[in-house]
Amino acid sequence: MSETRMSPEQFRAATEQVAANMRRVIDGKDHAIQTALIALLAEGHLLVEDVPGVGKTVLARALAASIHAEVRRIQFTPDLLPGDVTGVSVFNPVSRTFDFTRGAVFANVVIADEINRSSPKTQSALLEAMEERQVSVDGHSHALPSPFLVMATQNPLEMDGTYALPEAQLDRFMMRMSMGYPDADAEQLMLRQRDTANPLAELRPVIDLDGVARLIAFVRHVHISPVVERYAVALAQATRAHGSLRLGASPRATLQLVRAAKARAALQGRAFVIPDDIASLVRPVFAHRLIPAHRHASAHGTDPVLDALHEIVQRVAVPASA
């Protein structure tokens, strides 16, 4: 199945296999599975913000296991050093040279667990990796494997001993999402399935990395018309002019919105983007990048950023045709 011969139907069939495989261990969380797939296929990164124990790490491991990818988990702690993430040069007494020892970031899927528990210096070690897909140590650049996806987690409720992610770091994440609690049926099924065995250990890949590369190439060539491009730009510009927001969406955010929309379109069996693809992704792509003018809840007790995004989506005219 080559890039040129792949049809939207073939793309959807291949990705549905991956999603179905992930559902074997992720119960009742189709939105989380789709979001993870969008981040992977659009060559972005994902920030999962939720309370402990709802399956954030399991989601990343299920995705990696389904695509035959190497996965590494980095537990971010206050004493974690940048070299632990990127790698270090170690002196070799035999050759009397410095040899580069790769850090934990050298994997296809990197789980940055509780990323906000490490110092800003250590968090910044991911900036080059996430943007340029390489790390530079002692003046030498080292390419990261492809595909490369960072799935970071953080607990939004427990703030003691944490370091808030700076705007530059947040802007590197294509999307932010929350797993949420499972419904009663899904939670009961989980109890039954995991009473005697761990289904994650039994998960087998349904596609290899070459197949993932072809899927990514297909997403890159999904068509987006100039009309829909202008719609995405109008939404981004509206965030920069909104009175409730002190910091609007960056140009990088607009680019990643379009890339994510292409992946969403492909996952739905289309080779072209429609305005609904853009509108449905505004919240997960933009929300974590925006800063409210006043850091408090609105009069209705809701998030001012989400209120502003809802108003913008309602106000910006949707293209009549794409």
Side-chain angles (χ1 to χ4, degrees), residues 28-71:
K29 294 295 177 187
D30 284 352
H31 78 284
I33 292 173
Q34 175 171 283
T35 302
L37 284 173
I38 288 175
L40 172 71
L41 299 173
E43 301 177 275
H45 305 287
L46 181 61
L47 178 62
V48 187
E49 193 174 77
D50 217 323
V51 297
V54 294
K56 300 186 294 292
T57 303
V58 174
L59 175 68
R61 290 195 177 279
L63 176 61
S66 298
I67 64 174
H68 200 58
E70 182 181 4
V71 58

Side-chain angles (χ1 to χ4, degrees), residues 5 18 69 74 85 104 106 109 149 169 171 183 215 234 244 291:
R5 295 181 181 177
V18 177
I74 309 173
V85 177
F106 283 84
V109 178
L149 169 69
Q169 184 85 49
D171 204 37
D183 59 34
L215 296 176
S244 298
I291 298 178

Side-chain angles (χ1 to χ4, degrees), residues 212-263:
V212 174
R214 291 193 291 271
L215 296 176
I216 291 173
F218 180 89
V219 168
R220 289 175 186 163
H221 291 90
V222 168
H223 176 70
I224 178 168
S225 69
V227 172
V228 179
E229 284 180 338
R230 284 195 293 272
Y231 178 53
V233 170
L235 290 167
Q237 291 189 330
T239 66
R240 300 165 196 163
H242 198 283
S244 298
L245 301 174
R246 181 162 59 92
L247 178 67
S250 67
R252 182 190 284 118
T254 313
L255 176 63
Q256 296 198 341
L257 175 62
V258 168
R259 288 177 175 172
K262 287 184 174 185

Side-chain angles (χ1 to χ4, degrees), residues 141-171:
S141 297
H142 306 272
L144 294 168
S146 181
F148 176 68
L149 169 69
V150 174
M151 289 185 63
T153 72
Q154 64 177 359
N155 179 356
L157 299 179
E158 188 179 351
M159 293 293 106
D160 291 342
T162 64
Y163 302 86
L165 271 65
E167 282 68 34
Q169 184 85 49
L170 288 171
D171 204 37

Side-chain angles (χ1 to χ4, degrees), residues 80-309:
L80 188 73
L81 299 175
D84 298 328
V85 177
T86 61
V88 295
S89 294
V90 179
F91 183 71
N92 186 330
V94 177
S95 63
R96 302 186 66 80
T97 59
F98 284 91
D99 298 332
F100 178 66
T101 301
R102 293 183 171 189
V105 78
F106 283 84
N108 300 113
V109 178
V110 176
I111 307 171
D113 218 355
E114 296 186 288
I115 188 173
N116 56 334
R117 292 203 171 277
S118 284
S119 68
K121 183 177 181 179
T122 300
Q123 290 178 18
S124 67
L126 282 173
L127 288 175
E128 182 186 14
M130 294 171 69
E131 181 68 15
E132 302 178 32
R133 298 175 185 269
Q134 67 174 28
V135 296
S136 298
V137 177
D138 294 336
H140 298 281
S141 297
H142 306 272
L144 294 168
S146 181
F148 176 68
L149 169 69
V150 174
M151 289 185 63
T153 72
Q154 64 177 359
N155 179 356
L157 299 179
E158 188 179 351
M159 293 293 106
D160 291 342
T162 64
Y163 302 86
L165 271 65
E167 282 68 34
Q169 184 85 49
L170 288 171
D171 204 37
R172 296 307 199 276
F173 288 100
M174 173 174 279
M175 292 186 289
R176 180 185 66 179
M177 76 166 190
S178 172
M179 291 286 292
Y181 290 110
D183 59 34
D185 291 339
E187 192 165 1
Q188 185 176 357
L189 178 63
M190 180 189 70
L191 295 177
R192 191 159 53 245
Q193 288 178 333
R194 305 183 187 189
D195 186 36
T196 57
N198 179 7
L200 188 60
E202 301 172 2
L203 218 55
R204 296 293 177 266
V206 295
I207 190 172
D208 60 17
L209 293 181
D210 287 338
V212 174
R214 291 193 291 271
L215 296 176
I216 291 173
F218 180 89
V219 168
R220 289 175 186 163
H221 291 90
V222 168
H223 176 70
I224 178 168
S225 69
V227 172
V228 179
E229 284 180 338
R230 284 195 293 272
Y231 178 53
V233 170
L235 290 167
Q237 291 189 330
T239 66
R240 300 165 196 163
H242 198 283
S244 298
L245 301 174
R246 181 162 59 92
L247 178 67
S250 67
R252 182 190 284 118
T254 313
L255 176 63
Q256 296 198 341
L257 175 62
V258 168
R259 288 177 175 172
K262 287 184 174 185
R264 182 183 187 272
L267 287 170
Q268 295 192 353
R270 285 181 280 106
F272 55 91
V273 176
I274 61 176
D276 186 60
D277 295 320
I278 299 290
S280 65
L281 290 168
V282 166
R283 176 173 174 170
V285 174
F286 280 1
H288 61 288
R289 297 174 154 94
L290 309 180
I291 298 178
H294 305 286
R295 292 181 179 273
H296 56 75
S298 70
H300 302 287
T302 54
D303 188 323
V305 167
L306 299 183
D307 286 348
L309 285 177

